[in-house]
Amino acid sequence: MPKTFAMTSLALLALLAALTAVSSEPTNPVDYINPVIGNSAQKRCGRTIPGPHLPFGLVQLSPDTVTGKGKTSGYNWYDTTIEGFSVNRMPGVGYHGSLGNFQVMPTTGELRLHSGSNTLDQHKHQGPGWKSPFRHDDVIAEPGYYSVLLKKYDIRTELTATQRVGMMRFTFPASDSSHIQIDLARKIGGYSGRQHNIVVTNGTIKGKIRCWGEGAGFAKGTKYNLYYYAQFDKKWDSYGLWNRGDDLGQKPDVENDDLGFYANFTTAPDEQITLKIGISYVSMEGAEANLQHELSHWDFDAVQTAARRTWREAIDSMLTTTGGTEDQKMIFYSAVYRTMMYPLDFTDIDGKYWGADKKVHGGKNYTTRMGFSGWDVYKHEFPLLTIVRPDIVNDQVNTFLDICNLTGKTYPLWQMMGDYTGAGLGDPGLSVTVDAYMKGIRNFDVNRAYEIALQTARGPNSVRKEYEKMNECGYVYDHTIGVTLTLENTYGDWCISRFAEALGKQSDADFYRNRAADNYKHHYDPKAGWMRPKDAQGNWSKPWTDKFSDEGVKEGNTYQWSWFVPHDVQGLIELMGEERFASELDEFFAGAPADFSPGNPYYNHSNEPVHQIISYFNFVGKPWRTQYWTRTVLDGAYGTDHNGLAHNDDFGQLSAWYVLNAIGLNPVAPGENIWHIGSPIFDEIEIKLNEQYHPRTKAKTFKIVAQNNSPENYYIQSASLNDQPLNRPWITHEELISGGILKLVMGPKESTWGSAKKDRPPSLSNGTFPKALN
């Protein structure tokens, strides 16, 4: 039954709630989470969303402020109007938008049949549409809850969610013309191709939204069907549908290409109407089953409370911290929150899912995952998950193998809905798989995983770009992005060598290790001192200009890409000379603006190819520079407001970089089984270990203790591991998952700790990497 608030003003209620939130002292990590961080879609453009979702949840509710390409989350903090609230998202990613289906908008007064934002030519969009102004002062955004006042209609909209069901509560004014309108055609990139709506009964609808590349969308349009089953807690006075701006009236079963649904109500002052939406990518029956299983009641407040509790328990089960400033804790736990959006659980409640062959599958002994921003997340997001959520990593590798088996192709570069979107480059899926195996996460078909690794380099049907040129010449001859492809593919070859060695396949290990040791050197010009593109005959493609040239590289310049030899940093040092390497590395960071903002030609934190470089000082005996620059980037590139991310969060990659470096750890080459030590911002960090995937643990936790830590004391003076002196600026993954205490004594001055040559991290050219865990 509908409920009525006993209050004098909805605005007053929102103000009181906001004041209560501000005045309450945080008592748990979840209290520090601020979903607004990074909500900008311009300037620093984190492109995150403020709306609610559960950890790795299928439903990701949020307000929409814009429709059209380039607005990948559908929300921009700088916009002043809201056009609706949709159920799924692809947040924090550059390029064209996708998802953002089943857009709901409560309205009053004259019925308008478009939002006013979705203005594609095929629609009859005239007039201002239904979108409403809003103020950020009227917004409450918390884990599991979002609320906003729509000023045009004086309607407060509240959102919460379970794993597969979205819940919306609308508090209406007195009106004989209240409406809840649902744009079934809209998606963030523009419009879907076909919609089918069925009126089940008064108060219930179900249907299908077909998105098979029509309209604008991410990577030429991912192909999927969204099924929904939606229920209102109040029977409507009447209902109707529209198509292309034409009111179709009441139709119980209709299919068209620009369909929308509206329900009309008479509402009393402050009357609440609640809407539940179960979704599925499998079937209408799946959407209904998801709703009935997860949300059979109408208690919005109970769902909100449960969602917040789920977030609290999820974070508490991973890691906890003490110390740090209030701002650092807000940035940190908000970053942890954002690393738990993708890869999401892609299954219905019965385990069925939409496969890469565009058919329904099920019956797996793992959870099928969706959403892999490969070129980004293999660097920090997935290494972080190997510590705090190894089960997710294991799921993802099994999902990779399923996709490969269904398509005959190799590991995806950038995967949505099982599609090989074509975005990105390199071998990120291979990297994630090998890193998982090396760390003992291997509840998958290892032999099949290795076969696909070899297919990546050899073909056929490899998604590695220009693998034939790589095999022909040892490098990619392409003056546009040849350097980038060679460097990424060479790291991929090293991953294959590590996999082969761990499996006892020595011939393969030797072959790919030699390729990994030699092929990146084809692009190094000793006269210029940097990487340069070559033609098929081995000549430099174009005359040398300077290190800021973008010849041969993608999304960056020569200065930024020449460092990308993560598996053989020592080999790069030998090419450049140690003194010059260290000097150029310092200039690389010192030349950047204080916020390391997008587009700068030095250390550009907004772009992932440079993310591992901060630990390179450890390789030249200057770990104090890694410590200095780690703290400097943590302080400069992140903040607590809508501009709090340097750029696109890319499915949690920028956030994961912050989380790992804030606790003092950084991966350089996933697959190496090494964690490079930086400078933690907290006095103590406790990582909870998973006994299934971390069987060596005795203490069940790994603690990092930073004594005398402060904003000024960011240099490590000495260290010990389980009460034994530690002189090297790195630890092995085995040491971490065995549990214990890493103790760092901090101070305000540079020290020689970790600088001895014998204590430098291993590289392909100068040492032996830790072996795969048994």
Side-chain angles (χ1 to χ4, degrees):
M1 295 293 293
K3 303 175 184 177
T4 302
F5 270 149
M7 68 178 84
T8 57
S9 168
L10 287 171
L12 177 60
L13 176 66
L15 178 60
L16 290 173
L19 289 173
T20 301
V22 170
S23 63
S24 298
E25 286 294 325
T27 59
N28 186 276
V30 76
D31 299 328
Y32 286 101
I33 295 172
N34 180 6
V36 172
I37 292 177
N39 282 176
S40 170
Q42 61 196 65
K43 297 184 178 179
R44 287 169 62 87
C45 62
R47 293 195 172 105
T48 61
I49 59 172
H53 53 91
L54 292 190
F56 306 103
L58 188 68
V59 164
Q60 295 175 346
L61 293 178
S62 212
D64 300 310
T65 64
V66 66
T67 298
K69 67 178 184 178
K71 308 295 185 182
T72 54
S73 73
Y75 181 85
N76 181 5
W77 190 90
Y78 288 96
D79 289 338
T80 59
T81 58
I82 286 176
E83 62 176 50
F85 307 87
S86 53
V87 299
N88 52 0
R89 284 294 187 285
M90 192 177 76
V93 180
Y95 206 26
H96 295 189
S98 198
L99 308 185
N101 301 115
F102 199 88
Q103 186 186 74
V104 181
M105 186 66 171
T107 63
T108 59
E110 178 187 355
L111 190 67
R112 297 178 174 87
L113 302 182
H114 65 93
S115 68
S117 292
N118 196 356
T119 54
L120 295 174
D121 291 340
Q122 78 167 56
H123 304 293
K124 291 183 179 179
H125 290 158
Q126 300 174 356
W130 66 56
K131 62 183 179 180
S132 169
F134 77 104
R135 299 187 314 152
H136 291 292
D137 288 346
D138 294 324
V139 169
I140 302 171
E142 301 172 350
Y145 179 74
Y146 176 87
S147 173
V148 64
L149 180 66
L150 301 174
K151 292 178 66 64
K152 183 175 182 177
Y153 308 108
D154 194 30
I155 298 174
R156 177 154 292 277
T157 296
E158 300 170 277
L159 312 177
T160 190
T162 67
Q163 196 77 4
R164 299 171 179 86
V165 182
M167 197 172 199
M168 304 182 182
R169 183 166 68 183
F170 310 108
T171 304
F172 283 89
S175 175
D176 60 2
S177 57
S178 293
H179 321 286
I180 294 178
Q181 301 179 235
I182 305 171
D183 190 338
L184 300 171
R186 184 261 187 190
K187 66 178 183 180
I188 291 171
Y191 58 93
S192 57
R194 200 78 179 165
Q195 310 86 39
H196 180 196
N197 187 78
I198 300 170
V199 177
V200 179
T201 185
N202 190 328
T204 302
I205 61 173
K206 65 180 181 179
K208 170 184 174 181
I209 300 170
R210 175 187 166 97
C211 298
W212 279 59
E214 304 90 348
F218 182 78
K220 300 179 182 178
T222 49
K223 297 178 176 63
Y224 65 93
N225 300 316
L226 179 79
Y227 300 91
Y228 58 88
Y229 190 88
Q231 293 180 317
F232 302 83
D233 71 341
K234 178 180 180 177
K235 292 185 176 181
W236 52 63
D237 298 339
S238 62
Y239 78 90
L241 292 102
W242 74 84
N243 192 70
R244 296 184 178 236
D246 295 328
D247 193 332
L248 305 180
Q250 297 193 16
K251 289 184 176 293
D253 189 332
V254 61
E255 183 174 352
N256 223 311
D257 61 1
D258 185 34
L259 207 59
F261 174 90
Y262 61 85
N264 302 320
F265 303 91
T266 300
T267 54
D270 299 328
E271 181 177 348
Q272 294 182 324
I273 299 177
T274 301
L275 173 65
K276 301 188 295 190
I277 313 107
I279 68 168
S280 166
Y281 293 97
V282 172
S283 66
M284 293 186 205
E285 293 76 15
E288 181 178 1
N290 290 341
L291 186 148
Q292 298 298 346
H293 180 85
E294 293 188 356
L295 194 49
S296 59
H297 62 82
W298 290 98
D299 192 336
F300 183 97
D301 295 332
V303 177
Q304 176 190 348
T305 299
R308 187 178 184 85
R309 181 174 62 248
T310 298
W311 275 109
R312 183 179 68 247
E313 293 171 350
I315 293 174
D316 286 348
S317 71
M318 290 164 34
L319 78 176
T320 57
T321 64
T322 58
T325 67
E326 293 299 290
D327 281 355
Q328 286 172 334
K329 285 182 278 191
M330 177 180 288
I331 296 169
F332 179 81
Y333 285 109
S334 299
V336 172
Y337 170 81
R338 291 191 300 274
T339 66
M340 299 174 70
M341 293 189 72
Y342 278 93
L344 57 75
D345 181 345
F346 198 42
T347 64
D348 281 354
I349 200 67
D350 61 1
K352 291 181 180 178
Y353 65 95
W354 178 245
D357 58 352
K358 308 309 171 195
K359 297 178 182 178
V360 175
H361 299 267
K364 305 296 184 181
N365 61 355
Y366 60 87
T367 299
T368 298
R369 299 279 162 186
M370 190 275 283
F372 178 68
S373 179
W375 194 25
D376 313 305
V377 295
Y378 83 86
K379 296 179 174 73
H380 286 79
E381 165 78 359
F382 273 87
L384 170 65
L385 292 176
T386 65
I387 303 175
V388 299
R389 286 299 303 269
D391 58 313
I392 301 288
V393 179
N394 193 76
D395 287 342
Q396 183 63 68
V397 175
N398 276 295
T399 300
F400 286 155
L401 299 187
D402 185 52
I403 292 171
C404 295
N405 290 335
L406 291 174
T407 63
K409 298 179 183 179
T410 57
Y411 296 109
L413 304 181
W414 217 117
Q415 177 263 335
M416 283 289 290
M417 305 293 178
D419 279 336
Y420 289 79
T421 64
L425 43 78
D427 301 319
L430 170 64
S431 172
V432 169
T433 301
V434 173
D435 193 42
Y437 182 85
M438 298 301 291
K439 291 174 177 174
I441 303 168
R442 54 184 71 147
N443 292 335
F444 54 85
D445 187 340
V446 173
N447 291 330
R448 181 65 182 127
Y450 184 70
E451 291 173 356
I452 299 168
L454 292 180
Q455 183 187 352
T456 297
R458 298 173 179 173
N461 298 321
S462 175
V463 299
R464 173 186 279 190
K465 296 183 178 180
E466 304 289 9
Y467 74 92
E468 299 97 335
K469 292 180 180 178
M470 199 78 184
N471 295 339
E472 173 192 351
C473 298
Y475 63 92
V476 176
Y477 47 90
D478 181 332
H479 75 275
T480 57
I481 59 171
V483 172
T484 292
L485 289 176
T486 298
L487 296 180
E488 288 275 6
N489 294 350
T490 300
Y491 165 68
D493 282 347
W494 174 80
C495 289
I496 297 173
S497 77
R498 289 284 281 164
F499 206 178
E501 183 179 35
L503 295 176
K505 301 179 183 297
Q506 200 56 48
S507 177
D508 287 347
D510 292 342
F511 178 78
Y512 287 103
R513 185 187 305 109
N514 290 335
R515 285 186 23 151
D518 295 337
N519 284 346
Y520 70 89
K521 297 173 184 176
H522 288 296
H523 285 293
Y524 186 78
D525 180 357
K527 291 184 179 179
W530 300 102
M531 302 288 180
R532 295 180 61 190
K534 281 185 171 181
D535 61 22
Q537 289 72 45
N539 302 310
W540 303 120
S541 296
K542 291 189 177 182
W544 173 250
T545 53
D546 58 43
K547 63 186 179 183
F548 300 111
S549 167
D550 63 358
E551 290 291 333
V553 298
K554 182 178 177 66
E555 295 188 16
N557 59 35
T558 296
Y559 197 17
Q560 293 161 341
W561 269 102
S562 290
W563 304 104
F564 192 78
V565 191
H567 63 287
D568 195 15
V569 179
Q570 181 59 37
L572 182 61
I573 291 170
E574 291 170 3
L575 288 178
M576 295 179 66
E578 185 170 310
E579 184 177 346
R580 176 172 174 264
F581 180 98
S583 174
E584 288 283 3
L585 191 59
D586 238 337
E587 181 187 337
F588 185 62
F589 285 92
D595 63 354
F596 304 95
S597 55
N600 91 78
Y602 292 87
Y603 180 81
N604 176 4
H605 192 66
S606 71
N607 210 18
E608 285 81 3
V610 302
H611 277 186
Q612 80 286 354
I613 299 173
I614 207 157
S615 294
Y616 279 17
F617 293 100
N618 290 348
F619 291 83
V620 289
K622 295 186 175 183
W624 61 88
R625 299 308 286 162
T626 285
Q627 295 152 29
Y628 170 81
W629 285 115
T630 296
R631 287 288 188 101
T632 303
V633 174
L634 286 168
D635 290 344
Y638 296 85
T640 59
D641 65 6
H642 55 282
N643 282 320
L645 288 171
H647 207 247
N648 304 328
D649 197 35
D650 287 328
F651 278 16
Q653 167 59 20
L654 258 70
S655 296
W657 190 98
Y658 188 93
V659 171
L660 282 170
N661 281 274
I663 66 175
L665 303 175
N666 190 50
V668 167
E672 65 182 344
N673 273 11
I674 286 173
W675 295 100
H676 300 261
I677 298 173
S679 181
I681 62 175
F682 298 109
D683 300 339
E684 184 174 310
I685 303 102
E686 183 176 68
I687 300 169
K688 315 292 178 62
L689 299 174
N690 183 310
E691 293 185 59
Q692 178 184 354
Y693 292 97
H694 303 145
R696 286 170 171 74
T697 182
K698 297 177 182 178
K700 297 186 179 181
T701 64
F702 183 77
K703 289 185 179 181
I704 301 170
V705 178
Q707 292 184 344
N708 307 323
N709 201 19
S710 72
E712 296 77 27
N713 291 358
Y714 45 78
Y715 293 114
I716 298 173
Q717 309 298 301
S718 63
S720 63
L721 181 62
N722 297 328
D723 295 323
Q724 298 298 311
L726 180 73
N727 296 315
R728 49 182 160 86
W730 54 279
I731 60 173
T732 67
H733 186 71
E734 182 173 12
E735 288 170 333
L736 190 157
I737 67 167
S738 295
I741 300 176
L742 172 64
K743 187 177 295 183
L744 308 173
V745 179
M746 313 300 291
K749 295 182 179 180
E750 300 172 359
S751 81
T752 59
W753 175 83
S755 62
K757 198 161 189 176
K758 65 181 178 62
D759 295 322
R760 296 180 184 181
S763 280
L764 187 57
S765 294
N766 77 326
T768 302
F769 292 102
K771 293 183 178 181
L773 301 187
N774 294 325

